[in-house]
Structures are given as C-alpha cells and as structure tokens.
Amino acid sequence: MTKPNEPSRASITWRLIAALTGTVVLFWLIAVGIGVYVVHKELSETFDGALQETAERLMPLVLDDLGNRDHSGDPQSLEQLNKGLNREYLTYQVLDANGKVILHSHDAPPTAYDVPLVIGFHNAARYRIYTESSADGTIFLHVADAFKNRREASRESGVALLWPLLALIPASIVAIGLIVGRSLRPIDRLRSQIATKDGGNMMPLDAETLPRELQPIARSVNLLLDRLRLALEAEREFSANSAHELRTPIAGALAQTQRLLVELPPGPLAERASRIETSLSNLGRLAEKLLQLSRAQAGIGTGEKPIDLIAVIETVIGDYDRDTGTAGRVLLENETKGKLIRNIDIDAFAIVMRNLIENALIHGPVDDEVTVRVDDSTVRVVNGGHVLSQEEFTGLKKRFWRGKTKAAGSGLGLSIVERIVNQIGGRIDLMSPATGRSDGFEARITLPRG
C-alpha cells in the first residue's frame, strides 16, 4: 500500500492510457453536448415550421367546417370525430373573437390556452403554440406542440450520440495502449542496456539509434560510464600495483622473521616473533587476494581458447598435495566421461578452484577431507562442519565478510569466485548442509554449456 508521502510508482504506460482515454472521453462528451444543443435548436426550428404549416393548412378546413355546422352546438362535439384515434402529437383549439373555445382536438384542453389572440408563436407553460387568424379576424386557431415532445427528441439524439462512447472507451484503451507501448519500446531498450552495465561492462550506449528525445539521456549515461570506468581502472591499478609491490617486502620480512625464529631460544621473544610470522603470512595472503580481485574485476573469465577443466583441477589439487599441511586432504571424484572442455581462462578457473578449496580447508574441521566432485555440467567442493544459519549465508559473498569464525582469511575468496563465475556465464550456489549430508558446506559451480 502506498504511503501518503511515498511517490507514486504507477506505470507511465497506464498513466498515458488513462490520461489520453480520459481526454478522448472528455472531448467526446463536449462534442455530444454541442451536438445535442445544435440538434435541439434545429429540431425546434423544424417543429416550429411544421407547427406553422399545420396551422395555415388547418385554418381553411376549420372555416369550411364551421360554415357547414350549427354554431350553437356543443364545443366538445368535435371530439366525436377524434374517437379511436391515437394520441395526438399536435393539438388545436378554435376560438371566436372573444376567446371562447368553439372547437378543439381530442387531447386539447377545453379551456383556451393562456396566450394572446395574435398571429405568431407563443409559449405557454407546457406548449409551444402557433396562432392563426381568419381573414376577418373573427376566428382564431391555436395549434400546440408539447415541449416534452421536443425534449424527448433531443434526449434520444443525445443518447444515440452517447452509445458509441461505450465502444469508444475500451477501443481507445487498446489502441492507445498499443501505440504507447510501441512508442516506449526505445525506453525499454535503453533501460535494458543500462541494466547490463557494471564493473565488467563499461561499453558506451549506442545513442545514434535512439529517438531524438532519448539521445541526451544516452549521452549523459555514456559520460557517467566514462568517469566510472576511469575511476575503476584507477582503483584496480592502485590495488594491483600496491599488492604487487607489497609481495616482495612482505616475503622478505617473512623470511627474516622465520630465520629469527630459528635463531631465538624458546621464550617470550620467540612467541612474539611467531605472532609476527603469522601476521606477515596473513598479510601476504591478503596481498595475493587483492591481486586476484584486481584481475577478476578486469574481466579475465572468458578465455581465448577451450581448456580441459579436469587438468586444471588436478593441477590445483596437486599443489595442495605437495604441501605437508594439506597433503592427502583434497580428494577428486571425476564423474565425467573424459575431458571437461570449456572456453574459460585457465588462470581464472585456477583462481576459482584455489579459493573454494582453500575456504573448505580453512573453515572445515581440522584434518577433515575436502571432496571435489566433477560431472559434465557442475563442479562441487564439499567440506564438513556445522550447518550455517541464514544470517551467515546472507553475507558470504560480500567483500571482507568472514562470518562467525576464528580461522585465518581475508573475506574476499567467495566474492572473487562469484565475479569470475559470472564472467564465464556460470552460476555459483552455496548450500549448507551439503547435498546428501546432514552437515557440512557445499559450493556448487554450474558451468556454461560447452
């Protein structure tokens, strides 16, 4: 539910559809109102013409009828002639010079209309009346047309004009929706292009193919991408150079410390030197991670030629087997039918496997085995240990996030792995407990199709 101070998130398309449809309906209603007014005016002129023509044609007939009748008869006697007729649209009264009703039609009132005995049009409370007179001025004829007849005709005309509005509204919504949707497609394409931009894709947008109204936006985004690319390149260059330059002095300081440990007798100084050795080792690993992160951010994932991933995995595991501290702890279960060929940079995949295996060795139980299972589409690194909580899962891929552990590490390994895996078109999933187990941790890499 939208809060009072929260900006509306309504779709631009629906806003345009509602606004344009409302405008069309409003103008249609205005046109209907004008049409009804014009129709009413024209109908009034037509009715007046018919009223006058009827009075002029009826007057000779009335005079002829009066000349052949007994004038002392009942004023209502003409009603006998109108019996059985349908309800009259026009009514009439025949009056003498004193205003007394001599004859009247079936639906006409027996008393004279409250209008003067003057030739022309007159308005009564409910009637539009035309008065005609005989040549000698002794006989007058009122022909009346009820206003309700005119209002009914105008109302029916207005309703007839409103009926198309019922079809116009849905038709307008569909038509405007199609037109607006087609017109907004360049905006959707621009939005999709902008959404693909990240640290690994800083290519400028193609502004020339966009409509003129969107070209300034594309140019502004390109300028922003240029500035961001320069900033990222400066950051990567600084990180890479710093880490590279630190490796030599760190290695020298570590060697001197290790030599000092050999020469010092057991005691407080030796313990302090041992702590210095540990700190220098951690600093060396951090410098190595920063170098890997810099290379990952530079987009080294996709290789120029296909490689056998099994050979890379065996080489990485061989490095751990040659280390006395991890020898025999990393096992390979190869479920492929032969080679696993993918178009991936060999150094990038080695960085991925080294980080995953290192994490498994560091964070798993001491002396516990780490299993690397490989099939035709996935590479899984599984280690033992307690089941991670949801809170611990949420930050695993964040930079410098290490969770609730006392093990040595920089908190960069999984972040580097995720970036490289995304570059090669794969996906990494983290699971705890591991598949088929009640404990442990599993990092599963789903490889792109070969």
Side-chain angles (χ1 to χ4, degrees):
M1 183 176 181
T2 304
K3 297 179 180 179
N5 296 329
E6 187 176 338
S8 175
R9 295 186 179 89
S11 168
I12 294 177
T13 301
W14 282 109
R15 286 183 181 179
L16 289 174
I17 290 174
L20 294 176
T21 303
T23 302
V24 170
V25 171
L26 177 61
F27 277 103
W28 184 271
L29 293 175
I30 293 174
V32 168
I34 296 174
V36 170
Y37 172 77
V38 172
V39 167
H40 179 75
K41 185 176 180 180
E42 294 299 323
L43 285 176
S44 296
E45 293 178 359
T46 301
F47 282 128
D48 285 349
L51 197 63
Q52 182 177 356
E53 183 179 359
T54 300
E56 291 174 348
R57 293 193 177 191
L58 188 58
M59 180 55 113
L61 298 176
V62 169
L63 294 176
D64 182 67
D65 181 73
L66 290 176
N68 296 324
R69 290 171 58 84
D70 181 12
H71 298 298
S72 61
D74 183 4
Q76 302 285 346
S77 60
L78 192 59
E79 293 184 13
Q80 301 299 323
L81 300 177
N82 298 322
K83 286 182 179 180
L85 297 177
N86 293 329
R87 185 176 179 182
E88 298 169 332
Y89 190 79
L90 299 177
T91 58
Y92 66 88
Q93 291 178 342
V94 180
L95 301 90
D96 58 18
N98 296 321
K100 181 181 179 181
V101 176
I102 302 174
L103 298 173
H104 62 81
S105 63
H106 182 271
D107 288 338
T111 57
Y113 293 118
D114 187 18
V115 293
L117 297 178
V118 178
I119 296 175
F121 289 98
H122 309 284
N123 288 334
R126 296 166 52 195
Y127 298 94
R128 175 73 166 171
I129 300 171
Y130 183 79
T131 302
E132 182 63 35
S133 173
S134 61
D136 57 3
T138 59
I139 300 297
F140 293 89
L141 174 65
H142 292 322
V143 179
D145 175 22
F147 285 128
K148 67 177 181 179
N149 296 328
R150 303 186 181 208
R151 289 193 295 268
E152 182 179 359
S154 299
R155 183 170 58 252
E156 291 177 353
S157 301
V159 171
L161 291 173
L162 286 174
W163 274 114
L165 190 61
L166 298 178
L168 179 66
I169 293 176
S172 297
I173 292 175
V174 173
I176 294 172
L178 292 176
I179 295 172
V180 171
R182 182 173 299 178
S183 301
L184 292 180
R185 284 177 187 172
I187 298 179
D188 290 334
R189 289 198 298 269
L190 177 61
R191 176 175 55 81
S192 300
Q193 292 179 27
I194 294 175
T196 62
K197 303 303 175 184
D198 55 19
N201 180 12
M202 291 291 178
M203 294 298 295
L205 302 174
D206 186 6
E208 299 302 324
T209 61
L210 295 172
R212 184 173 63 252
E213 294 81 2
L214 297 180
Q215 289 181 0
I217 298 176
R219 285 193 290 268
S220 298
V221 172
N222 287 337
L223 290 175
L224 180 61
L225 288 174
D226 288 338
R227 295 177 183 176
L228 184 58
R229 181 169 55 251
L230 292 174
L232 288 176
E233 289 175 354
E235 178 188 352
R236 292 167 184 168
E237 185 176 358
F238 174 78
S239 299
N241 291 338
S242 300
H244 182 74
E245 294 296 330
L246 285 173
R247 293 175 70 181
T248 301
I250 291 174
L254 181 61
Q256 293 295 328
T257 303
Q258 290 172 344
R259 182 175 178 180
L260 182 62
L261 276 173
V262 175
E263 297 175 353
L264 285 175
L269 290 178
E271 293 178 2
R272 185 174 300 175
S274 177
R275 289 195 292 269
I276 294 174
E277 179 191 20
T278 302
S279 298
L280 288 173
S281 298
N282 293 337
L283 185 58
R285 283 194 294 269
L286 177 59
E288 184 65 28
K289 294 297 182 184
L290 290 175
L291 275 174
Q292 293 179 359
L293 179 62
S294 177
R295 297 186 65 192
Q297 289 177 333
I300 64 170
T302 304
E304 296 180 356
K305 59 182 181 179
I307 63 169
D308 181 13
L309 301 185
I310 299 296
V312 178
I313 295 173
E314 290 175 343
T315 300
V316 173
I317 293 177
D319 292 339
Y320 284 101
D321 285 339
R322 285 188 290 271
D323 189 335
T324 56
T326 58
R329 289 186 60 191
V330 184
L331 306 178
L332 174 61
E333 295 182 0
N334 186 2
E335 300 176 2
T336 62
K337 298 179 180 179
K339 296 182 178 181
L340 185 59
I341 305 299
R342 291 293 189 276
N343 189 26
I344 300 174
D345 182 82
I346 186 170
D347 290 335
F349 190 71
I351 290 173
V352 168
M353 294 307 303
R354 195 174 299 278
N355 276 284
L356 292 180
I357 294 174
E358 181 182 323
N359 277 352
L361 290 171
I362 292 175
H363 298 290
V366 178
D367 297 331
D368 194 13
E369 294 177 344
V370 173
T371 304
V372 180
R373 296 190 179 95
V374 184
D375 57 32
D376 293 330
S377 60
T378 62
V379 177
R380 296 183 291 171
V381 179
V382 182
N383 62 273
H386 70 277
V387 177
L388 298 184
S389 64
Q390 186 63 35
E391 180 183 356
E392 291 174 304
F393 253 108
T394 56
L396 281 179
K397 297 179 183 179
K398 296 179 181 179
R399 294 184 186 180
F400 302 105
W401 197 93
R402 302 186 58 248
K404 299 176 181 179
T405 178
K406 295 181 179 179
S410 61
L412 289 173
L414 289 178
S415 175
I416 295 171
V417 169
E418 182 182 36
R419 181 172 287 271
I420 295 178
V421 170
N422 289 338
Q423 289 172 6
I424 66 177
R427 187 182 76 249
I428 181 168
D429 298 306
L430 307 178
M431 290 166 282
S432 182
T435 303
R437 299 178 54 166
S438 59
D439 64 349
F441 180 83
E442 177 180 339
R444 177 186 296 173
I445 299 175
T446 302
L447 299 171
R449 294 183 178 181

